[in-house]
Amino acid sequence: MFDIWQEIYGTIKRNKLRTFLTGFAVAWGIFMLIVLLGAGNGIIHAFDQSSSERALNSIRIFPGWTSKPYAGLKEGRRVRLENSDLEATEKYFPNQVISAGATVRQGNVNVSFGQEYVNISLMGVHPNYTEVETVKTADGRFINQNDLKERRKVIVLHKKTAEILFGKTHTEPIGQFVNASGVAYQVVGIYNDQGDREASEAYIPFSTLQTIYNKGEQLNNIIFTTKNLETIESNEFFEANYRKVIGANRRFDPQDNSAIWIWNRFTDYMRTQNAMGMLRTAIWVIGIFTLLSGIVGVSNIMLITVKERTREFGIRKALGAKPLSILWLIIVESVTITTLFGYIGMVAGIAVTEWMNSAFGNQTMDAGMFQQTMFSNPTVDLGIAVQATLTLIIAGTLAGFFPAKKAVSISPIEALRAD
């Protein structure tokens, strides 16, 4: 075995430039595969992270504008959701809806404590709001059913808002009363959220906001969590029935998708998962074909090597060398070149993914109501490295197999005729 390694070393040493250029093609192929896989993982990890922070079995209903005439009414009407639509959600879908709530907003409210004040929006919510959105109570509690039922004047402030109002006096916020444009609210909780996006909002009971700020029966959107809807088809069937119920309340065509917008996180998740699967496949296909271009180069260079050593292989056979030994020599040389340069490319690729992770490992995008993580942890795991190793060994074997067969087929007479 030592003799084989000596011969391989001697061949590589005699053809340094040719070996380097051939190996570079292999290194570049595996480098691109690792970098593409890392970038793809960054997108996939970001999606999984964002999905885990919100209830996937949740749906939000937003009002829209009609795009079709209905029952003598023209298109272009503004649809306004009301409390009766929330009640219909719970009444007509008991087997699909776990808990339902709604939100209503009052903007441009000055909230003060002593000499400090902030201008924020008040959001009237139900207790199920924290089940759906990334609002995490940092201290105290969130809005509960008794607050809603009794229309209590309680408020949950963002952590940053509490620091502005109470930070200078070092006052404990929980239990204190703040003035919101002439209305006193007792602070019952402090919350955090994803990326501190909602620092300009405070939460109060839904019923309290509707009453104090004369919202009547109107609401901004309906939020609920679902059960027994485990496929895209069952969710689409539910959405169609839901449009019929709300369409009957608000008098619009159930087929009019513009009248209300249904944000179903489960169907979005499933469709995105399918897209992520296609992304993984595309990355592997692109990476493998890039690697194959390098493997073809290795195969070609091995064919040239065999041609140059025709006389040598013929003499070996004349002296009694077994065909298997010649076959083994060429294949081992091919695998050595492929694996050596492949690992160089792999290490370089992993280094780049680690740099990507440190530089861009937590990229977010403002998605309106919240911040969406777009890129997270763009690295490859040990399993990918093992797969890449096996790919290199198999590729090296294939690259050397056909040149090796050609070397085995060389006869002593053909060797004598060689230049």
Side-chain angles (χ1 to χ4, degrees), residues 145-187:
Q145 285 293 345
N146 288 332
D147 297 331
L148 210 67
K149 183 178 180 180
E150 299 175 11
R151 292 181 169 82
R152 292 175 178 172
K153 296 177 182 178
V154 294
I155 191 169
V156 179
L157 299 174
H158 191 278
K159 187 176 181 179
K160 286 187 175 180
T161 302
E163 289 174 356
I164 294 172
L165 295 178
F166 303 99
K168 289 185 178 180
T169 58
H170 303 287
T171 304
E172 171 60 38
I174 304 301
Q176 300 296 326
F177 285 85
V178 295
N179 187 304
S181 299
V183 180
Y185 292 92
Q186 185 177 27
V187 179

Side-chain angles (χ1 to χ4, degrees), residues 125-362:
V125 297
H126 283 69
N128 75 328
Y129 190 80
T130 56
E131 299 173 9
V132 178
E133 298 302 331
T134 56
V135 174
K136 308 299 180 185
T137 304
D139 193 13
R141 64 174 179 85
F142 198 69
I143 305 302
N144 60 35
Q145 285 293 345
N146 288 332
D147 297 331
L148 210 67
K149 183 178 180 180
E150 299 175 11
R151 292 181 169 82
R152 292 175 178 172
K153 296 177 182 178
V154 294
I155 191 169
V156 179
L157 299 174
H158 191 278
K159 187 176 181 179
K160 286 187 175 180
T161 302
E163 289 174 356
I164 294 172
L165 295 178
F166 303 99
K168 289 185 178 180
T169 58
H170 303 287
T171 304
E172 171 60 38
I174 304 301
Q176 300 296 326
F177 285 85
V178 295
N179 187 304
S181 299
V183 180
Y185 292 92
Q186 185 177 27
V187 179
V188 294
I190 306 296
Y191 78 94
N192 270 323
D193 61 86
Q194 183 187 14
D196 290 344
R197 176 66 182 88
E198 304 297 337
S200 61
E201 287 185 349
Y203 299 106
I204 67 174
F206 176 85
S207 56
T208 303
L209 195 147
Q210 274 194 330
T211 302
I212 292 178
Y213 299 98
N214 298 318
K215 298 293 183 179
E217 294 289 306
Q218 291 185 15
L219 51 88
N220 289 114
N221 55 68
I222 299 172
I223 306 173
F224 55 92
T225 50
T226 62
K227 59 183 177 181
N228 303 324
L229 300 175
E230 299 176 354
T231 63
I232 292 179
E233 292 73 20
S234 62
N235 275 271
E236 290 177 343
F237 182 74
F238 169 79
E239 290 178 21
N241 288 333
Y242 190 83
R243 288 184 186 277
K244 290 179 182 178
V245 171
I246 303 302
N249 278 1
R250 300 296 111 215
R251 302 184 67 189
F252 63 80
D253 189 334
Q255 303 298 320
D256 187 355
N257 293 335
S258 298
I260 58 172
W261 175 42
I262 300 179
W263 181 14
N264 189 326
R265 283 183 175 139
F266 178 81
T267 54
D268 284 354
Y269 176 79
M270 293 301 295
R271 292 189 181 104
T272 307
Q273 281 289 81
N274 293 335
M276 293 302 173
M278 295 173 62
L279 175 63
R280 287 190 184 97
T281 302
I283 288 173
W284 272 104
V285 169
I286 294 170
I288 291 298
F289 273 97
T290 305
L291 181 59
L292 281 177
S293 64
I295 299 305
V296 170
V298 174
S299 184
N300 288 335
I301 207 67
M302 295 309 299
L303 284 171
I304 295 173
T305 300
V306 169
K307 185 177 180 180
E308 291 176 347
R309 300 171 67 183
T310 299
R311 183 184 296 275
E312 175 191 337
F313 292 139
I315 293 173
R316 285 188 181 209
K317 293 186 70 175
L319 294 175
K322 295 181 180 180
L324 184 61
S325 65
I326 297 175
L327 187 75
W328 179 248
L329 174 64
I330 301 300
I331 289 179
V332 170
E333 184 174 337
S334 174
V335 171
T336 300
I337 294 173
T338 305
T339 305
L340 175 63
F341 284 94
Y343 263 107
I344 292 173
M346 187 189 304
V347 171
I350 292 173
V352 169
T353 60
E354 291 296 332
W355 172 78
M356 289 166 56
N357 186 36
S358 61
F360 313 107
N362 193 26

